Amino acid sequence: MNSLAPITSPPPEKFRDRHVTATGEARAFVSLKGATTLWFNTGTLCNIECVNCYIESSPVNDRLVYLDADDIRPFLDQIKERNWPVREIGFTGGEPFMNPAMIDMARLCLMRGYRVLILTNAMRPMMRPGVQAGIRNLLAEFGDQLTFRISVDHPDPARNDAIRGAGSFAKTLEGMLWLDRHGARMDVAGRTLWGETEAESRKAFAAFYRRHGFSIDAGDPVRTMLFPEMDQNADVPEITTACWSILNKKPDEVMCATSRMVVKRKGAARPVVLACTLIPYDAEFELGETLKQAEGPVHLNHPHCARFCVLGGASCSA
């Protein structure tokens, strides 16, 4: 994976014990308040390789393999069986539209009445004729029940392409214009690695939306999500139980209080449920093969927990 800086491991004394921090304090944990979003990772293969991709997606990374409708159907059944208050099904990757079952999986979830959110770079995999036809059919039948969250790291093409590869911005813009012409609801996901204030970033996105006639609210943190950069060299503090009051933050505000993610590992017979969309390879965050098994608390024993969710304040869901 390309990187802005060499990747190093966290200091060896940190993030070693699930229950206790390096200083001997009780590690913070998050209980499942009530899952409102269930994520499916469609596979880690992607048509591009971004600098510091959160889960190292690339054209060759198939550590998480394609899901299909038969894989996800049991979990949709379990939502009802467990009485989870899920309102939204999210699909992430990799690039979801590289998965040949993406349209079928989206339709299955939409037909069950869920809102569906698809995270995509809106590039060539989405723009294949067969995929376009499938999207048009979904939009005709389900309308605003379906949302596309488009990855635009920065509205300046040069900055975006420095992360996503030469020509990426133009290809993503082409996809966004196509979605807009067909009445699709779009949100955007950007990054905050540019040394800008949040106000400056949102102002730049607002100008981008106006320039192309996109009806996306740059000031809405759900419609325009700005994710903190995952600097692998940063030394982040461990989150203790005392941090909640110090930071004036509630465990219920952290992403794993309201979501889980289903993945299928290469060579595995069945999918498994993970605590988080950002930590797909750490066995500690694998919670079991069923939603029932995934209802336990999540101890914040990973740098991403501090960097992204607690201190960064980010969330992949609404």
Side-chain angles (χ1 to χ4, degrees):
M1 180 182 70
N2 294 328
S3 177
L4 292 174
I7 294 176
T8 58
S9 300
E13 70 276 8
K14 286 188 176 183
F15 303 104
R16 295 297 180 182
D17 188 294
R18 183 182 183 190
H19 299 283
V20 181
T21 68
T23 57
E25 298 172 88
R27 185 178 302 285
F29 64 89
V30 174
S31 298
L32 186 66
K33 176 184 177 183
T36 56
T37 302
L38 182 61
W39 288 92
F40 292 102
N41 188 297
T42 62
T44 40
L45 286 173
C46 188
N47 55 302
I48 58 175
E49 185 174 4
C50 297
V51 173
N52 281 2
C53 174
Y54 296 150
I55 64 168
E56 304 175 17
S57 298
S58 77
V60 297
N61 181 5
D62 61 351
R63 293 175 69 181
L64 303 182
V65 298
Y66 290 155
L67 294 171
D68 59 28
D70 288 338
D71 288 319
I72 75 170
R73 189 176 288 108
F75 294 99
L76 300 180
D77 294 339
Q78 290 170 44
I79 290 172
K80 297 297 184 184
E81 293 166 4
R82 303 302 303 167
N83 198 31
W84 280 21
V86 170
R87 301 188 299 269
E88 176 184 69
I89 302 296
F91 290 96
T92 183
E95 168 51 47
F97 287 109
M98 289 188 68
N99 185 322
M102 185 62 252
I103 297 296
D104 290 341
M105 291 190 292
R107 176 174 292 281
L108 176 61
C109 298
L110 290 163
M111 289 180 66
R112 295 202 182 196
Y114 296 110
R115 297 199 313 261
V116 167
L117 174 65
I118 303 175
L119 277 55
T120 177
N121 56 42
M123 294 171 70
R124 295 299 163 79
M126 192 196 78
M127 295 291 280
R128 290 174 292 171
V131 175
Q132 288 181 323
I135 291 173
R136 287 195 299 267
N137 290 337
L138 293 179
L139 292 172
E141 188 170 354
F142 299 101
D144 282 352
Q145 194 179 330
L146 174 62
T147 298
F148 299 82
R149 183 181 292 161
I150 315 300
S151 298
V152 182
D153 285 331
H154 197 280
D156 173 66
R159 289 183 174 183
N160 182 85
D161 287 5
I163 301 300
R164 308 186 72 80
S168 294
F169 185 90
K171 293 172 184 175
T172 293
L173 178 58
E174 179 186 356
M176 293 180 72
L177 291 168
W178 183 87
L179 287 170
D180 189 61
R181 285 197 304 273
H182 289 86
R185 176 182 172 87
M186 288 188 293
D187 296 345
V188 161
R191 292 207 208 182
T192 58
L193 59 84
W194 316 105
E196 299 174 326
T197 65
E198 180 176 339
E200 290 170 335
S201 295
R202 295 194 181 280
K203 182 178 179 181
F205 273 104
F208 168 61
Y209 301 153
R210 286 195 302 270
R211 190 156 57 246
H212 298 288
F214 298 142
S215 57
I216 306 172
D217 186 350
D220 185 331
V222 173
R223 301 298 310 278
T224 303
M225 285 195 169
L226 300 179
F227 291 113
E229 177 60 11
M230 306 298 268
D231 182 358
Q232 300 285 355
N233 287 312
D235 182 18
V236 295
E238 295 181 285
I239 305 300
T240 71
T241 54
C243 288
W244 300 123
S245 58
I246 294 170
L247 298 170
N248 193 28
K249 193 176 180 75
K250 299 177 181 178
D252 291 353
E253 297 171 357
V254 179
M255 187 165 56
C256 52
T258 56
S259 69
R260 292 290 186 264
M261 184 172 78
V262 176
V263 307
K264 190 172 184 180
R265 303 195 187 284
K266 186 175 183 179
R270 289 175 296 277
V272 293
V273 187
L274 307 184
C276 178
T277 61
L278 299 173
I279 312 174
Y281 308 124
D282 191 326
E284 182 177 330
F285 292 85
E286 185 174 309
L287 304 179
E289 294 183 355
T290 67
L291 297 189
K292 180 180 180 180
Q293 293 170 329
E295 291 176 343
V298 177
H299 290 78
L300 304 184
N301 191 28
H302 194 283
H304 286 0
C305 302
R307 183 184 297 115
F308 193 88
C309 293
V310 178
L311 302 177
S315 173
C316 289
S317 303

